[in-house]
């Protein structure tokens, strides 16, 4: 725990979880898409669904999707400014089940080039966030460090192949987790790194036969 865990983030209020955390969640969702979305259908679950207007959660999520930091003074006007820019952001209450955090949002995002992704994530307190699903793949991603998301066939040697390429290019792995539905099926490797991963390294990882795809997600503020 550090000082910022105790006193909370620098932010536009009123709530570290419903406003600052929501903004960081929007930032992380946009980073996963790889661009600021032009369309977003956002389902709000639990406490988010009940209090989003009063706590400005919708405005904070929109601000994050547009690349604004949690202390950006424009956050109260985020929805109107998004509309002026031609962005189509829709918010609706819903239910994602009893197993998810009460401050959870499900994003269906579309970029200007037609790229799409579906992200489920939560604001877990003190401005901190955690993404738990990307395009149906289970993950655990906080946005604190740059990360690689690598869906791949669940077979021996894949982790060694990926880690050897990163080592060759002097990319240090800070943490790694592997998620899978069943043995021998499709797994997802989440590698947090101490620094950004160059495009040429990402492309080299994409050429590995067991790898389904590679997505680099930079850290968020």
């Amino acid at each position: 725990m550090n000082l910022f865990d105790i006193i909370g983030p620098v932010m536009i209020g009123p709530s570290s979880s419903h406003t600052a955390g929501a903004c960081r969640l929007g930032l992380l969702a946009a980073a996963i898409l790889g661009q600021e979305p032009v369309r977003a259908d956002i389902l709000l679950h639990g406490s988010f669904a009940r209090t989003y207007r009063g706590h400005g959660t919708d405005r904070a999520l929109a601000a994050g999707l547009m690349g604004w930091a949690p202390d950006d003074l424009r956050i109260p006007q985020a929805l109107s400014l998004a509309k002026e820019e031609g962005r189509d952001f829709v918010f609706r209450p819903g239910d994602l089940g009893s197993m998810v955090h009460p401050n959870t949002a499900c994003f269906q995002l579309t970029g200007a080039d037609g790229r799409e992704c579906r992200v489920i994530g939560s604001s877990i307190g003190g401005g901190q966030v955690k993404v738990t699903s990307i395009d149906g793949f289970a993950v655990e991603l906080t946005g604190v460090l740059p990360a690689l998301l690598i869906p791949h066939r669940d077979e021996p040697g894949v982790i060694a192949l990926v880690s050897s390429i990163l080592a060759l290019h002097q990319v240090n792995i800070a943490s790694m987790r592997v998620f899978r539905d069943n043995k021998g099926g499709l797994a997802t490797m989440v590698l947090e790194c101490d620094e950004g991963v160059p495009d040429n390294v990402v492309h080299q990882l994409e050429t590995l036969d067991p790898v389904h795809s590679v997505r680099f997600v930079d850290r968020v503020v």
Side-chain angles (χ1 to χ4, degrees):
M1 180 175 290
N2 60 40
L3 180 61
F4 292 104
D5 294 320
I6 299 170
I7 65 174
V10 178
M11 66 176 193
I12 301 299
S15 167
S16 62
S17 59
H18 287 67
T19 316
C23 185
R24 288 194 74 242
L25 192 57
L27 280 165
L28 186 52
I32 292 166
L33 178 65
Q35 59 186 286
E36 295 173 12
V38 295
R39 290 193 298 277
D41 186 320
I42 305 168
L43 185 149
L44 303 171
H45 169 84
S47 180
F48 268 8
R50 293 190 294 271
T51 66
Y52 72 95
R53 289 192 176 92
H55 282 167
T57 303
D58 50 354
R59 284 160 280 174
L61 289 168
L65 291 174
M66 292 188 289
W68 303 357
D71 61 349
D72 196 303
L73 296 177
R74 298 172 293 174
I75 287 177
Q77 290 78 46
L79 296 180
S80 59
L81 292 173
K83 188 173 182 180
E84 288 178 11
E85 293 180 3
R87 302 176 194 262
D88 180 17
F89 293 168
V90 176
F91 299 86
R92 53 190 176 89
D95 188 353
L96 295 170
S98 61
M99 301 303 290
V100 301
H101 192 282
N103 300 331
T104 296
C106 176
F107 303 82
Q108 184 65 46
L109 304 177
T110 305
D113 61 1
R115 188 184 315 173
E116 296 182 337
C117 75
R118 183 174 184 266
V119 177
I120 298 176
S122 306
S123 175
I124 58 177
Q128 302 303 303
V129 301
K130 180 168 66 174
V131 165
T132 55
S133 176
I134 299 173
D135 292 333
F137 296 112
V139 298
E140 189 170 305
L141 187 65
T142 65
V144 174
L145 291 171
L148 288 166
L149 309 177
I150 307 178
H152 60 90
R153 293 199 304 269
D154 180 34
E155 61 184 46
V158 183
I159 293 173
L161 280 171
V162 169
S163 59
S164 64
I165 289 174
L166 294 177
L168 181 66
H169 292 278
Q170 299 296 301
V171 177
N172 194 50
I173 298 171
S175 70
M176 181 178 66
R177 297 191 66 184
V178 178
F179 303 83
R180 67 179 187 181
D181 292 328
N182 53 75
K183 182 178 179 180
L186 191 63
T188 304
M189 198 184 311
V190 180
L191 303 103
E192 292 183 314
C193 304
D194 287 335
E195 60 279 315
V197 181
D199 288 343
N200 65 306
V201 179
V202 172
H203 296 325
Q204 188 174 351
L205 293 171
E206 289 174 330
T207 65
L208 298 176
D209 182 62
V211 167
H212 183 272
S213 63
V214 179
R215 191 193 303 261
F216 173 69
V217 181
D218 208 348
R219 63 168 60 89
V220 299
V221 297

